[in-house]
Amino acid sequence: MQTLVQAISEKKSKQKCFRSGNGFTFLEIMVFLTLVLLISGLVIPQFLASFSKPIEKEFKHINAVLKTLRNDAVLKNISYCVLFDLKLQQMMTSEKLESGECSKEFFKKSGPLKKHKFPEDFVLLKAQLAGSSNLASGAINEFMEVYINSSGFVTPFMLVFSPNDVSSSWIIETKGIMGDLLIREK
């Protein structure tokens, strides 16, 4: 009988030793994987953005501005203006006054709504509102105004960007009344 009790106690001590080993629990593994996914979700887009072309960055910026203003216009029942300064090569945003004109008090908020200069790698050659037969350039008109009304409607427009050497050009234009943007190489 003594050997039987001794064998059972040795078996239990081996099991305790096996379970208290150096492995990880399922919960620890899940916490680690969650942290890795969160960190990679924040870092990878920033890393990939550094390799994108300047025109793609501008397309994404203009798209972010339009979406932000469109959503804000609907939620707050306010109309906005996006002004493309063709002479100074910049984009600005402001509120639309009740008189129908754009406010000269441009947004100074951080993020996409602040005054934005286009990169020196390329220039905004032409801008046109839909339904307008003439193209505006920096020499003719100082501003092209795009309106976003309180229902989210965006005035259709087209922008033509080109690198400084004018070897090629890209067209950014709106599609539909909600201001969805398309980009194509010309």
Side-chain angles (χ1 to χ4, degrees):
M1 242 352 192
Q2 268 188 344
T3 53
L4 185 60
V5 171
Q6 195 175 16
I8 291 173
S9 67
E10 284 178 12
K11 194 175 185 181
K12 282 191 177 186
S13 67
K14 284 182 183 178
Q15 285 177 350
K16 283 183 183 176
C17 201
F18 178 72
R19 286 191 180 164
S20 64
N22 296 332
F24 296 104
T25 65
F26 180 71
L27 183 60
E28 290 170 331
I29 293 172
M30 292 307 292
V31 168
F32 174 76
L33 287 176
T34 303
L35 289 174
V36 167
L37 288 173
L38 285 173
I39 291 171
S40 65
L42 295 173
V43 171
I44 290 174
Q46 297 293 331
F47 179 72
L48 294 177
S50 65
F51 294 110
S52 63
K53 296 177 185 177
I55 190 65
E56 291 172 0
K57 289 180 184 178
E58 287 308 307
F59 175 78
K60 289 177 183 177
H61 179 76
I62 294 169
N63 200 21
V65 167
L66 289 177
K67 283 183 178 183
T68 302
L69 290 177
R70 192 175 64 228
N71 290 339
D72 203 45
V74 171
L75 291 173
K76 294 181 179 177
N77 199 25
I78 298 173
S79 296
Y80 292 104
C81 299
V82 179
L83 300 146
F84 293 94
D85 188 338
L86 303 170
K87 196 172 197 177
L88 298 176
Q89 294 292 303
Q90 63 185 2
M91 180 177 71
M92 300 159 294
T93 55
S94 69
E95 283 189 32
K96 186 176 177 184
L97 302 173
E98 289 182 21
S99 64
E101 295 180 10
C102 295
S103 170
K104 299 302 175 199
E105 302 257 338
F106 301 116
F107 293 140
K108 295 176 182 163
K109 300 176 183 179
S110 61
L113 298 182
K114 67 181 179 183
K115 193 181 288 190
H116 174 74
K117 284 196 156 290
F118 297 122
E120 294 178 10
D121 300 353
F122 59 90
V123 294
L124 176 58
L125 288 178
K126 300 174 184 174
Q128 177 182 358
L129 294 174
S132 172
S133 59
N134 59 342
L135 289 173
S137 69
I140 300 169
N141 292 333
E142 195 172 317
F143 292 111
M144 183 186 80
E145 298 175 345
V146 174
Y147 301 108
I148 301 168
N149 70 14
S150 58
S151 64
F153 174 77
V154 177
T155 306
F157 65 92
M158 180 184 75
L159 305 171
V160 179
F161 288 95
S162 177
N164 290 333
D165 61 0
V166 194
S167 58
S168 63
S169 61
W170 298 274
I171 297 174
I172 296 177
E173 61 185 334
T174 56
K175 177 187 174 196
I177 62 171
M178 297 311 285
D180 295 329
L181 285 183
L182 299 172
I183 186 170
R184 59 187 163 94
E185 193 166 353
K186 188 175 177 185

